[in-house]
Amino acid sequence: MKRLEHLKASRRDSLSKKLPDDAFVMLDPAVEVLDAEIAEHRLLSHGYLETGMVVPPGEGLVDFVTTLSNRPINVAVLRAQFDDQSIIDEMLASLRQHGFMHITSQTKPSTEELEHLRRIAECSRTPSLRRSIVIDLDSEISLEQISTRLKDETHPPELLLRCAQLADHKLILGEMARLRQRGIVRMHQTVVQTQCLSSDSELRRSLIRLGAAVYLDGISWPAPDHPIGGLEEMVRDCVAVHLLMTPDLSIVDEAERRRVVTWATSAFISGLCLRLDPDALWPAGDAAEDDFDAIFKAVRAIENALGDVLIVNLPSDEVLLGNAASSASPGRVSDFAKRFRAAYLRWRLPLLKVCENDNSWSQVPEVEDKLVRAQEDLLPNHPELLLLKPGSIVADVCGGLGRVARRLSPAVGQDGLVISVEMFRCLSDRARRFACERNFTNLDFRPGLAQRLALPDASVDAAVNEWTGGIWELGLGASMVKEMARVVRPGGRIAVTHRLVQLHLAALRQPWVQYDEIYAWIREAFVHPDLTIIAERIWGQIVPSLIGQHATLWRKQYMPRLINPYDVIYRYDESPDTRADVYLTVIAQRR
C-alpha cells in the first residue's frame, strides 16, 4: 500500500510542474508507436484511453518515446541524453497531460498499481473532455431533471435521448428546444434514437430547433425490407436521419455496399450508424489483422460514397483526437474485441492525421475571421443577393469551421436554419463546438459530400459555397453546383465564391494565382438548364499580416502533440509587402 500512497501524489495541478531528477517515469503499456508515417510525422496510439498523439519530425523524438517503454526510467538519465532540457520537460509534460506516461516508482508497476495510475490519468484528463449523457425518455424523467444534468456539465455534452416512439415525447422535446433557443441549456450535439419516426410538423420543427439528428434503430442490413413510415416527412423538413444497422461479413462485398449506398442516397438519408461486433462477425475468434482491415476499408468505401458513416460501438473521432471522453469500458470487452479495437485505432488515427495537411489555416474563429474579415465578406453583408429573410433555410456547402454559417445566421433569424455540410468530420465537430460556445442555435453542422447533399429536391431557399479549392482541383465543381441547384427551390439562389488572385500591391505585374482556370471552371459549372446567372461580383481585402500572431493558431493541428513545433510567435512575414486578395462571387437563380 505504501507504493500506492506514493503514486497518489500525481495530481492534476502538478502535471505542468517540472519533474525532479530523482523521479521515475514510464509509458503506459497500452501505448503503441504506429508504423504509419504521415508527412514525416509518427503516431502514438493509446489502446486503453483510445486516443492518439502526433510525434512531429525531429531527430531522436521517436527514440525518446521508445526509451520510456517497458520499464521505468530515471528523469535525470533522460535529461542527460539531450542537450535541450526544455524540450525534454515539454515532452514529458505532454505525455503526462494526455495520460500516455505515468510517474512510477523505480520498479515496474504491478497490475493493481497500473490500474491506479490509469485512474489518476483519467481523473486529470476528465475536466478538459466533453462527456456523453444518455437519457431514456421512456422512463419517468422530467424536463427539470434533464436540464439539471445538462447544466451540471463543465462542457456542453453530447446528448443521446432514447425512446421507442418519437411522438410520445413531443411535449418534452418541444420544451427542450425552447430552453436551447433561450440559451438555458447547451448541447454540443443532440441525437434522438428511436424505433418509430411517426411525427407531425410541430414535432419535426422542435427537432430542428433542438439541433437534433434522429437515429432510426432496427434497420436491416443492407437495406430495409419495407418502406419506413415517417421518413419522407422527416427528410422533407430537413431533419437529419441516420440509420442504425448491424452489418455482417457481406459488408466487404462491393455489390452489398452498393445496395446500401443506392438506397440511402435515394431516400436522402444523412448517414449510417454501424454496429460492428467482432465476436458476432467471427464467432470462432479466428480473424487476423487483415480481416479487421478489410472491414474498416469497407466502411471507408461506404463513407466515401455516402459522406457520413459512424461506427457507433468504436471510439468516435472526437475521442481519438482527445476532445471527448470515451463512453466505452475497454477493460470489460473480450480479448478478441480488444484486438479489434486496437486495430481500429491503427487504421483510423493515420486518416485523421491526413486531414490536418500542413497548410496555414486556422484553429479558432477569431483567427479564421482574419482570413476573410467580416466587414469585407460579400454575402453576409448583402444577404439580399441570396434573397434571404427571417425563416430562410440555407445550405452551406463545404462549410469548414463554420465561418460562413455563423455570418449568415443573423440573416435567417431564429426561425431560419443554416445547414453546413463538410466532408471532414473533425472540422464539422469543431464548427459545432465553436457555434455552441457562442450560443448559435440556428446552425446545423453535418458531415457530408458536396457532390451528394443529403437533402431532398427543392428543400432550401439558398445554397452557398466559399473558397474550397479542392473541389475544383478534383473536378467536382460541376457536380457540386448541380447538387446545389437540385436542393434549392425554384426562385431560390446559389452562390459560389473563390479567390481569383493575390496581388502584391507594390508589384502588380507579379500576382500569385492558385488556379489559372478557376474562372472558367466556375462559369462552366454554372451551365445548367435550371440556372440563370444574375450577378458576378468582384470584391476583396488587404491580406492580414501574421507578424505578432501565435503560429499554433494558424496551423491545422487537431491531434495532441508530443511537442508543438509551432509554439512560436511570427516575427516576420515571408511576403512583407502589402498584398490584396481578390475574390469572385457568382450568383445564379434557379428557374
Side-chain angles (χ1 to χ4, degrees):
M1 288 300 296
K2 288 184 178 180
R3 290 181 65 189
L4 285 179
E5 290 300 321
H6 169 71
L7 295 174
K8 287 181 181 178
S10 297
R11 299 297 183 189
R12 183 170 181 267
D13 57 4
S14 66
L15 288 179
S16 60
K17 295 180 180 178
K18 181 178 178 179
L19 294 175
D21 280 343
D22 61 353
F24 282 81
V25 293
M26 176 182 166
L27 274 191
D28 189 289
V31 174
E32 175 185 358
V33 181
L34 301 189
D35 293 333
E37 184 174 305
I38 310 297
E40 300 184 73
H41 293 71
R42 297 293 296 275
L43 298 170
L44 306 181
S45 170
H46 197 313
Y48 182 82
L49 296 178
E50 298 190 317
T51 190
M53 178 177 282
V54 173
V55 181
E59 185 178 354
L61 296 188
V62 173
D63 292 338
F64 171 80
V65 173
T66 56
T67 300
L68 300 172
S69 302
N70 301 321
R71 60 182 178 82
I73 186 167
N74 177 247
V75 170
V77 173
L78 277 175
R79 289 183 174 133
Q81 297 175 9
F82 291 83
D83 295 331
D84 193 332
Q85 302 295 298
S86 63
I87 290 181
I88 292 292
D89 292 331
E90 184 178 343
M91 292 190 292
L92 292 175
S94 180
L95 289 167
R96 288 185 68 205
Q97 176 187 352
H98 298 288
F100 281 67
M101 184 193 78
H102 308 295
I103 296 179
T104 69
S105 63
Q106 195 168 350
T107 58
K108 190 172 182 177
S110 66
T111 300
E112 181 188 15
E113 290 163 348
L114 180 60
E115 289 178 358
H116 181 75
L117 289 169
R118 285 172 169 170
R119 286 196 296 271
I120 293 173
E122 288 178 309
C123 288
S124 69
R125 294 176 74 240
T126 296
S128 64
L129 300 180
R130 182 172 61 251
R131 297 201 314 150
S132 297
I133 294 178
V134 180
I135 292 176
D136 182 3
L137 292 178
D138 292 332
S139 65
E140 295 295 327
I141 188 166
S142 67
L143 177 66
E144 183 179 358
Q145 289 173 312
I146 296 174
S147 177
T148 299
R149 289 191 63 180
L150 293 172
K151 292 176 184 177
D152 285 344
E153 292 296 312
T154 305
H155 307 286
E158 297 177 4
L159 177 62
L160 174 59
L161 303 171
R162 287 179 172 152
C163 63
Q165 305 274 340
L166 263 181
D168 291 345
H169 305 285
K170 173 181 174 179
L171 180 61
I172 198 167
L173 291 171
E175 289 299 322
M176 287 183 65
R178 279 186 278 275
L179 290 179
R180 177 177 181 260
Q181 285 201 308
R182 290 162 56 191
I184 295 175
V185 296
R186 295 188 186 187
M187 293 79 76
H188 173 77
Q189 185 175 22
T190 301
V191 169
V192 183
Q193 182 176 326
T194 186
Q195 299 170 11
C196 178
L197 294 180
S198 295
S199 62
D200 60 19
S201 59
E202 184 181 348
L203 175 52
R204 294 191 293 274
R205 184 62 184 158
S206 293
L207 291 170
I208 289 291
R209 291 178 174 176
L210 188 56
V214 176
Y215 286 10
L216 182 61
D217 206 352
I219 303 300
S220 58
W221 169 267
D225 301 323
H226 50 77
I228 298 174
L231 175 60
E232 183 179 350
E233 293 80 4
M234 280 282 178
V235 298
R236 183 193 63 207
D237 287 352
C238 295
V239 178
V241 178
H242 300 68
L243 303 184
L244 277 162
M245 293 176 149
T246 304
D248 52 31
L249 288 177
S250 69
I251 191 174
V252 300
D253 183 84
E254 185 178 353
E256 291 294 276
R257 296 198 302 270
R258 194 180 304 117
R259 280 186 64 193
V260 69
V261 170
T262 299
W263 185 88
T265 300
S266 66
F268 304 111
I269 296 299
S270 287
L272 301 181
C273 300
L274 305 180
R275 296 187 183 100
L276 297 179
D277 181 358
D279 294 310
L281 290 170
W282 299 280
D286 54 354
E289 189 91 2
D290 288 346
D291 298 311
F292 298 157
D293 284 346
I295 294 291
F296 301 144
K297 289 175 182 176
V299 172
R300 180 65 169 169
I302 299 173
E303 185 179 27
N304 287 339
L306 201 58
D308 187 6
V309 179
L310 279 173
I311 306 176
V312 292
N313 58 325
L314 289 178
S316 69
D317 288 352
E318 285 292 273
V319 171
L320 297 179
L321 293 172
N323 298 324
S326 175
S327 56
S329 300
R332 298 178 183 175
V333 300
S334 68
D335 289 341
F336 183 61
K338 288 179 183 177
R339 283 180 49 212
F340 185 70
R341 297 178 78 90
Y344 179 73
L345 266 65
R346 296 186 198 105
W347 174 79
R348 189 67 181 177
L349 286 171
L351 291 178
L352 294 178
K353 178 64 188 78
V354 169
C355 292
E356 292 185 344
N357 298 321
D358 190 36
N359 55 320
S360 179
W361 192 237
S362 61
Q363 290 289 295
V364 295
E366 289 75 14
V367 174
E368 187 185 29
D369 288 343
K370 293 178 183 292
L371 293 171
V372 181
R373 289 186 288 274
Q375 63 268 31
E376 312 289 354
D377 207 350
L378 178 67
L379 295 176
N381 287 302
H382 296 280
E384 71 278 2
L385 292 172
L386 294 172
L387 303 180
L388 298 185
K389 59 186 179 182
S392 292
I393 300 176
V394 181
D396 173 24
V397 184
C398 304
L401 295 176
R403 172 178 53 82
V404 175
R406 291 191 302 273
R407 290 183 180 177
L408 290 178
S409 169
V412 302
Q414 193 175 49
D415 291 329
L417 179 66
V418 181
I419 301 171
S420 183
V421 179
E422 167 55 45
M423 175 181 177
F424 294 114
R425 185 181 303 279
C426 56
L427 292 186
S428 190
D429 267 311
R430 290 173 75 86
R432 187 180 295 114
R433 172 163 61 87
F434 296 152
C436 182
E437 290 170 348
R438 290 154 182 80
N439 206 30
F440 285 92
T441 59
N442 60 354
L443 307 181
D444 189 0
F445 297 95
R446 305 180 183 181
L449 302 176
Q451 66 273 27
R452 194 210 78 89
L453 297 176
L455 294 167
D457 298 356
S459 57
V460 303
D461 300 296
V464 298
N465 165 264
E466 186 163 312
W467 201 357
T468 48
I471 286 289
W472 303 101
E473 195 171 309
L474 295 171
L476 298 174
S479 297
M480 176 187 70
V481 172
K482 182 179 179 181
E483 277 291 89
M484 293 168 73
R486 179 185 65 79
V487 302
V488 169
R489 299 184 179 104
R493 293 184 176 180
I494 74 171
V496 171
T497 298
H498 204 282
R499 180 171 58 187
L500 289 177
V501 63
Q502 186 173 98
L503 299 174
H504 292 256
L505 298 187
L508 291 176
R509 293 183 179 180
Q510 300 174 19
W512 179 83
V513 177
Q514 186 177 13
Y515 305 113
D516 286 335
E517 307 92 341
I518 188 63
Y519 180 68
W521 289 344
I522 294 176
R523 285 290 309 211
E524 185 178 351
F526 273 79
V527 177
H528 186 284
D530 293 332
L531 293 178
T532 301
I533 293 178
I534 60 170
E536 293 179 296
R537 294 293 183 91
I538 301 294
W539 56 283
Q541 67 170 28
I542 299 298
V543 176
S545 171
L546 297 186
I547 295 175
Q549 298 287 319
H550 198 288
T552 298
L553 298 178
W554 290 85
R555 309 303 300 194
K556 292 171 70 173
Q557 297 187 122
Y558 308 134
M559 202 178 298
R561 257 55 182 173
L562 174 67
I563 190 170
N564 181 10
Y566 299 112
D567 188 16
V568 295
I569 302 296
Y570 286 118
R571 301 299 182 190
Y572 65 93
D573 200 320
E574 292 181 358
S575 299
D577 59 315
T578 303
R579 292 162 291 152
D581 280 329
V582 179
Y583 302 100
L584 165 72
T585 297
V586 178
I587 304 168
Q589 185 158 312
R590 183 180 173 186
R591 291 191 281 271

